[in-house]
Amino acid sequence: MNTWEELKAACMDCRKCGLCETRTNLVFGTGNEKAEVLFIGEGPGENEDLQGEPFVGRGGQLLDKFLDAVDLDRKKNIYIANMVKCRPPKNRDPLPEEQDACIGWLREQVRLMHPKIIVCLGRISAQKLIDEDFKVTKQHGEFFEKKGVIMMGTFHPAALLRNPRQKPEAFEDFLKLQEKIKEVCSNTY
Ligand code: URA
């Protein structure tokens, strides 16, 4: 697939795993596919499944606040996707086989976007994309480089809603991200 539209059209018909049976909408992602910064969550929840957009519930509102504080905007200068594109029933963690079935779509998104920075929101994407032993509480806000892409893991917005005491640490991560963007990106700000 050579264009974003071709990739999206193929992905929207995906039946690579059982999650296709229970989805209302596949959530391909949202934002500017020419952005230099890509955020990757876990998988759609109920609201996302109903609306076909990532992070539209309470967690999404919190994410938007953090983004706004560092001049990032999901409609303008970033792209947001998930590890799996269809909602796991009852919001359970996506199974390893579901992640493996889905990751090819994300790899294609990364290939076409070639982002400079990938931010993993939460354990599921950080363990799949940065390090299988990634510990969010210990390693959040650290930058890693993989295949020429700068990667960082931070708290999942839903985890911050459950544990608001971690919000200041998460905010620090966004400030570090802002500095890193200023250092390596030319079209974001
Ligand atoms: N949680 C996620 O990880 N992704 C979403 O899109 C919504 C909630």
Side-chain angles (χ1 to χ4, degrees), residues 143 174-184 189:
F143 291 101
F174 277 76
L175 293 176
K176 285 185 196 160
L177 172 64
Q178 185 178 40
E179 288 311 306
K180 187 59 85 179
I181 292 172
K182 287 180 183 164
E183 199 182 306
V184 304
Y189 290 134

Side-chain angles (χ1 to χ4, degrees), residues 1-13:
M1 263 137 328
N2 291 321
T3 69
W4 195 260
E5 288 67 34
E6 279 172 12
L7 176 64
K8 183 169 182 180
C11 182
M12 294 307 278
D13 290 333

Side-chain angles (χ1 to χ4, degrees), residues 41-43 48 54-55 82 156:
E42 179 178 322
E48 291 77 19
F55 287 102
N82 280 310
H156 192 283

Side-chain angles (χ1 to χ4, degrees), residues 8-20:
K8 183 169 182 180
C11 182
M12 294 307 278
D13 290 333
C14 182
R15 302 192 63 80
K16 288 182 196 282
C17 84
L19 296 181
C20 70

